[in-house]
Amino acid sequence: MLAGQRASHPATAVAPPPAPPLHTLPLVRDLGEPDYRASEPSWRDAGSPTARVTVRAVDDQLEVQVAVRKSPLVFRSPDAPDPALDNESPDINSDGVQLHLWREGWAEPVAWLAVPEAGTPIVRVRQSAGGDDAPPLGVSWHETSTGYEMTLAVPRASLAPEFAIDVLINDMSAHRERRRGQLVLSGAHGERVYLRGDRQPLDRLLRVRIPS
């Protein structure tokens, strides 16, 4: 090698990142501390809220069951004044559930924010993402001795055999203006809940398959 010349090294191939796992329904996960996006209080300081999320195909519906264990429940009243915090929907600052869905062919994910109205069978639902072609969503809820349960359902015909999903469970305290945290089906990964609004990036959704 002549002076001043650099040694050449063969190019090293870079392996592509592994494909995200594909989960076959039914999908059942128990969410706790590793899945909690906190604000200032830790998961333990927040009372250690937990939830079991079950995603399954039932007849002609995709059904998402969410069983939340926490006390006390803090549901934002429909006639509560809008605190106008962070240019976000006020209903994120309440106990409630966010459902995020995507399938091939949709221009963007579809998402809903669902908040029960205490003492009634009513669930207040707001579509927070997606266009006019979003599938219809059915929602019901009831209070339990340890918290509450909510069932969300969309027609299977509106989905492909493989699609992506995430479920976020907002956790509110009566002593706060903003939500205290949220449990995340796809995992919290050490993140904080600040300034996330009712959004969830597409690459965080879980890939799932409906068995034939």
Side-chain angles (χ1 to χ4, degrees), residues 63-109:
E63 188 175 273
V64 180
Q65 294 179 328
V66 182
V68 181
R69 295 175 61 93
K70 66 157 288 186
S71 181
L73 299 175
V74 183
F75 299 124
R76 182 176 178 275
S77 171
D79 55 4
D82 185 347
L85 298 172
D86 310 317
N87 293 317
E88 301 287 1
S89 166
D91 277 348
I92 65 169
N93 300 307
S94 170
D95 285 336
V97 175
Q98 296 173 211
L99 174 62
H100 300 258
L101 286 175
W102 181 82
R103 58 157 289 180
E104 197 74 42
W106 287 356
E108 61 177 317

Side-chain angles (χ1 to χ4, degrees), residues 6-211:
R6 294 183 179 179
S8 61
H9 299 282
T12 302
V14 178
L22 180 63
H23 305 274
T24 300
L25 298 185
L27 172 65
V28 182
R29 285 196 178 177
D30 291 309
L31 309 184
E33 186 172 13
D35 312 294
Y36 191 72
R37 285 176 176 160
S39 54
E40 299 87 11
S42 68
W43 176 76
R44 294 186 184 280
D45 291 339
S48 306
T50 62
R52 169 169 285 192
V53 177
T54 303
V55 184
R56 60 180 184 166
V58 180
D59 298 327
D60 60 350
Q61 299 284 306
L62 174 78
E63 188 175 273
V64 180
Q65 294 179 328
V66 182
V68 181
R69 295 175 61 93
K70 66 157 288 186
S71 181
L73 299 175
V74 183
F75 299 124
R76 182 176 178 275
S77 171
D79 55 4
D82 185 347
L85 298 172
D86 310 317
N87 293 317
E88 301 287 1
S89 166
D91 277 348
I92 65 169
N93 300 307
S94 170
D95 285 336
V97 175
Q98 296 173 211
L99 174 62
H100 300 258
L101 286 175
W102 181 82
R103 58 157 289 180
E104 197 74 42
W106 287 356
E108 61 177 317
V110 176
W112 298 269
L113 172 61
V115 174
E117 296 187 5
T120 80
I122 297 171
V123 182
R124 192 164 63 253
V125 178
R126 171 180 174 268
Q127 184 182 326
S128 55
D132 294 337
D133 57 349
L137 178 72
V139 189
S140 62
W141 87 287
H142 63 274
E143 194 167 338
T144 67
S145 60
T146 56
Y148 73 98
E149 294 184 3
M150 184 183 292
T151 300
L152 308 97
V154 299
R156 283 180 59 176
S158 64
L159 300 171
E162 294 184 12
F163 61 96
I165 186 170
D166 213 344
V167 179
L168 284 63
I169 299 131
N170 290 321
D171 170 41
M172 186 59 178
S173 164
H175 307 294
R176 296 177 57 89
E177 285 189 311
R178 292 176 173 85
R179 64 188 164 192
R180 183 167 52 190
Q182 58 184 186
L183 292 161
V184 183
L185 177 63
S186 62
H189 305 285
E191 300 163 341
R192 293 285 182 169
V193 75
Y194 305 118
L195 302 178
R196 294 186 178 274
D198 50 21
R199 299 170 292 281
Q200 180 73 330
L202 176 58
D203 62 4
R204 291 294 303 276
L205 275 59
L206 301 177
R207 295 173 61 239
V208 296
R209 179 178 68 88
I210 300 175

